[in-house]
Amino acid sequence: MSRFKTKKGKGSPAINTSSLPDIIFMLLFFFMMTTTMREVTVMVKQDMPGATEVQKLQRKSLVSYIYIGTPKDSKLGTTARIQLNDVFANVDDIPSFIVSEREARDEADRTFLTTSLKVDGKTTMGIVSDIKQELRKSGAFKINYSTKKLRDMVDR
Amino acid sequence: MAKRSVPEINAGSTADIAFLLLIFFLVTTTMDVDTGITRKLPPPVEDNDEQADVKDRNVLKILVNSHDMLLVDGKPGNVSTLKDKAKDFMTVHFNNDQYPEVKEIVIEELGDKKIWVSKGIISLKNDRGTSYKMYINVQNELARAFNEMKEEASTEYYGVKYTQLVDDAKVKVINKIVPVRISEAEPEDRGGGL
């Protein structure tokens, strides 16, 4: 039977790759845990101002976002607009937005809902004040002015 | 007849499948941490006449106009000096008309210790034309003033930095000693902004 001897042992032995899937799966799970899904495509410019006294937003699932800034597409105008979810909106749409955001959450968590205002630095306060008034009327009192974190104000 | 063994499933492509999934997640997710200044809005006032009367000396008025210029207590101000001014205003000064009134509070957690705190309020008013960047700068400076005061209180009573306090009860005590009292007035339209 030794007639059928193969030519084994001549070249370098193949590396065992049976653990490769496990390694890749580990990486996959790491990324699944540490990252969050991108939910909306931001259609407004977002150059947020920096601040030093910032806090991390806890529990991202309880945060609803309002984007404000001039549209990235200049055809849509040069004045600051509000973006809720994936559409441009007006200040009057905010109460219904807050209600729908609340409805989407678990009943026990609704009081912890935070509204994150992602506002472009060049925006004037008029539109931001209007939104704040609407949020007050809707009872969404917890807000967060989204900013970049600066280590020192010298970075400004 | 020899027992036929079940052929092994070729698992060579598992790695490729896992890679595909991995790349999908890499593309569709973001890793950015959201940071920002957290504030609490006051509940809406039904009647404008109902606003609480606050003594003039207890209020530090900060106005920001549509040209991003500051007026602190009636005098033109600067962002770089705002923090020290706010901190100085909120510190306890006995028998001084220039500073807000003081009151004594009892902290049960510190063994019924009596602590003097200022009754001062910082009132922030901005124009509709003020830029958001300037507004955040002002908010940041005010937050810095309060954070520094919290830090001082924390080192005085607990001997550790405020950010290193792990006990929630201790954090609450510090927040009682140094309450963040920033009041935001209803916005006004004077500078012809948007």
Side-chain angles (χ1 to χ4, degrees):
Chain A
M1 283 302 194
S2 55
R3 209 182 300 177
F4 295 111
K5 212 186 199 172
T6 47
K7 278 178 186 163
K8 245 186 192 171
K10 283 278 160 71
S12 55
I15 300 164
N16 186 6
T17 55
S18 59
S19 60
L20 188 64
D22 302 348
I23 298 165
I24 305 304
F25 266 118
M26 236 167 54
L27 269 173
L28 175 66
F29 289 140
F30 169 74
F31 276 100
M32 279 170 77
M33 289 293 112
T34 53
T35 59
T36 46
M37 274 281 183
R38 230 177 265 178
E39 270 157 33
V40 290
T41 326
V42 184
M43 295 182 288
V44 291
K45 274 181 201 152
Q46 293 269 285
D47 180 22
M48 277 173 283
T52 54
E53 311 300 312
V54 293
Q55 288 147 298
K56 250 189 216 166
L57 258 181
Q58 305 288 343
R59 299 184 70 183
K60 272 197 174 166
S61 57
L62 291 178
V63 179
S64 43
Y65 296 94
I66 296 176
Y67 304 89
I68 306 155
T70 50
K72 276 178 186 164
D73 188 354
S74 56
K75 274 180 241 156
L76 295 169
T78 48
T79 50
R81 299 286 302 271
I82 306 164
Q83 189 193 339
L84 302 172
N85 291 331
D86 267 322
V87 285
F88 286 115
N90 291 315
V91 181
D92 321 332
D93 300 326
I94 298 225
S96 56
F97 169 72
I98 293 295
V99 169
S100 65
E101 285 287 309
R102 248 185 233 148
E103 290 293 315
R105 298 318 193 280
D106 205 45
E107 207 163 335
D109 291 334
R110 280 180 197 166
T111 43
F112 304 111
L113 206 67
T114 310
T115 314
S116 176
L117 297 177
K118 294 198 159 224
V119 189
D120 188 82
K122 288 197 189 76
T123 319
T124 50
M125 276 307 287
I127 192 164
V128 183
S129 300
D130 289 342
I131 288 169
K132 272 159 69 182
Q133 295 299 331
E134 288 298 329
L135 288 177
R136 276 174 72 183
K137 277 185 224 156
S138 326
F141 299 128
K142 249 184 110 181
I143 59 164
N144 182 287
Y145 302 107
S146 197
T147 55
K148 279 185 244 160
K149 185 176 169 49
L150 299 183
R151 194 154 299 155
D152 212 316
M153 266 329 201
V154 186
D155 301 350
R156 234 185 263 176
Chain B
M1 206 162 114
K3 209 178 180 183
R4 203 181 288 168
S5 65
V6 184
E8 237 175 80
I9 300 163
N10 186 7
S13 56
T14 335
D16 302 348
I17 296 166
F19 255 124
L20 267 173
L21 274 170
L22 175 67
I23 288 160
F24 170 76
F25 271 96
L26 278 175
V27 170
T28 53
T29 58
T30 46
M31 221 172 168
D32 56 332
V33 198
D34 267 328
T35 52
I37 301 172
T38 308
R39 285 277 166 271
K40 208 154 193 183
L41 294 172
V45 275
E46 273 85 46
D47 209 339
N48 270 340
D49 307 327
E50 247 186 275
Q51 276 175 8
D53 243 349
V54 185
K55 276 187 191 163
D56 204 36
R57 64 181 271 208
N58 286 351
V59 182
L60 178 73
K61 287 192 190 106
I62 299 171
L63 298 157
V64 196
N65 75 357
S66 57
H67 297 283
D68 288 355
M69 289 188 294
L70 276 177
L71 197 70
V72 183
D73 240 5
K75 289 183 258 338
N78 197 319
V79 185
S80 52
T81 53
L82 188 64
K83 183 211 87 191
D84 292 324
K85 215 158 199 171
K87 210 174 144 189
D88 181 45
F89 180 81
M90 291 303 289
T91 342
V92 176
H93 292 264
F94 293 105
N95 304 320
N96 192 335
D97 280 350
Q98 303 295 309
Y99 290 97
E101 295 170 292
V102 288
K103 65 171 176 194
E104 208 175 20
I105 56 163
V106 179
I107 307 285
E108 294 122 31
E109 289 88 341
L110 290 171
D112 286 336
K113 202 181 166 90
K114 281 177 185 159
I115 293 168
W116 288 96
V117 291
S118 168
K119 276 170 129 180
I121 293 173
I122 292 175
S123 160
L124 176 61
K125 196 169 195 171
N126 60 272
D127 192 272
R128 291 182 66 84
T130 309
S131 81
Y132 181 70
K133 196 174 177 198
M134 183 64 186
Y135 176 76
I136 287 296
N137 278 351
V138 172
Q139 280 277 16
N140 186 53
E141 289 305 305
L142 295 180
R144 204 144 72 93
F146 283 107
N147 283 353
E148 272 184 26
M149 283 161 67
K150 278 181 190 173
E151 203 93 310
E152 280 160 23
S154 177
T155 30
E156 191 183 334
Y157 298 110
Y158 293 118
V160 272
K161 278 186 175 175
Y162 179 68
T163 43
Q164 282 161 2
L165 280 180
V166 268
D167 196 353
D168 256 358
K170 285 183 180 175
V171 174
K172 268 195 186 137
V173 170
I174 297 298
N175 282 331
K176 222 188 254 177
I177 299 168
V178 188
V180 179
R181 298 175 72 157
I182 302 172
S183 150
E184 280 188 72
E186 313 283 317
E188 253 178 61
D189 190 6
R190 286 230 181 99
L194 277 167

